[in-house]
């Protein structure tokens, strides 16, 4: 069984090595870790490469935010008392 480094896997997947490291860290690619290096099995890499994925960044989910603009009472800034 052959193992790929993140740099080699990035070349196979046509992505940046930092993206492969992030996928490994998130557990999306099954790896073994030897010291500071991830090892990705050849069959695992082939399986991941053949998965159908949507291109681009995922859509943002709306957050339940309150407006950052605070209401101001009328005539607060007027110079007349």
């Amino acid at each position: 069984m052959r193992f790929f480094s993140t740099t080699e896997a990035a070349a196979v997947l046509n992505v940046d090595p930092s993206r492969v490291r992030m996928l490994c860290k998130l557990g999306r690619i099954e790896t073994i870790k030897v010291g500071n290096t991830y090892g990705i099995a050849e069959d695992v890499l082939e399986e991941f490469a053949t998965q159908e994925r949507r291109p681009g960044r995922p859509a943002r989910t709306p957050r339940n935010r309150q407006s950052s603009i605070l209401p101001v009472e009328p005539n607060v800034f007027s110079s007349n008392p």
Side-chain angles (χ1 to χ4, degrees), residues 51-65:
Q51 287 178 354
E52 191 170 320
R53 295 182 305 277
R54 290 178 28 193
R57 174 175 266 180
R60 288 184 70 171
T61 56
R63 296 183 192 173
N64 211 1
R65 287 184 162 178

Side-chain angles (χ1 to χ4, degrees), residues 19-77:
R19 178 67 178 152
V20 175
R21 284 190 292 276
M22 181 59 68
L23 291 168
C24 294
K25 188 175 181 179
L26 293 173
R28 300 218 177 123
I29 297 178
E30 186 179 330
T31 63
I32 61 166
K33 193 163 183 186
V34 180
N36 290 341
T37 306
Y38 288 106
I40 305 166
E42 185 174 14
D43 57 339
V44 171
L45 186 60
E46 286 177 11
E47 182 182 330
F48 184 81
T50 59
Q51 287 178 354
E52 191 170 320
R53 295 182 305 277
R54 290 178 28 193
R57 174 175 266 180
R60 288 184 70 171
T61 56
R63 296 183 192 173
N64 211 1
R65 287 184 162 178
Q66 293 180 351
S67 175
S68 60
I69 301 173
L70 298 173
V72 178
E73 293 181 27
N75 300 324
V76 169
F77 296 109

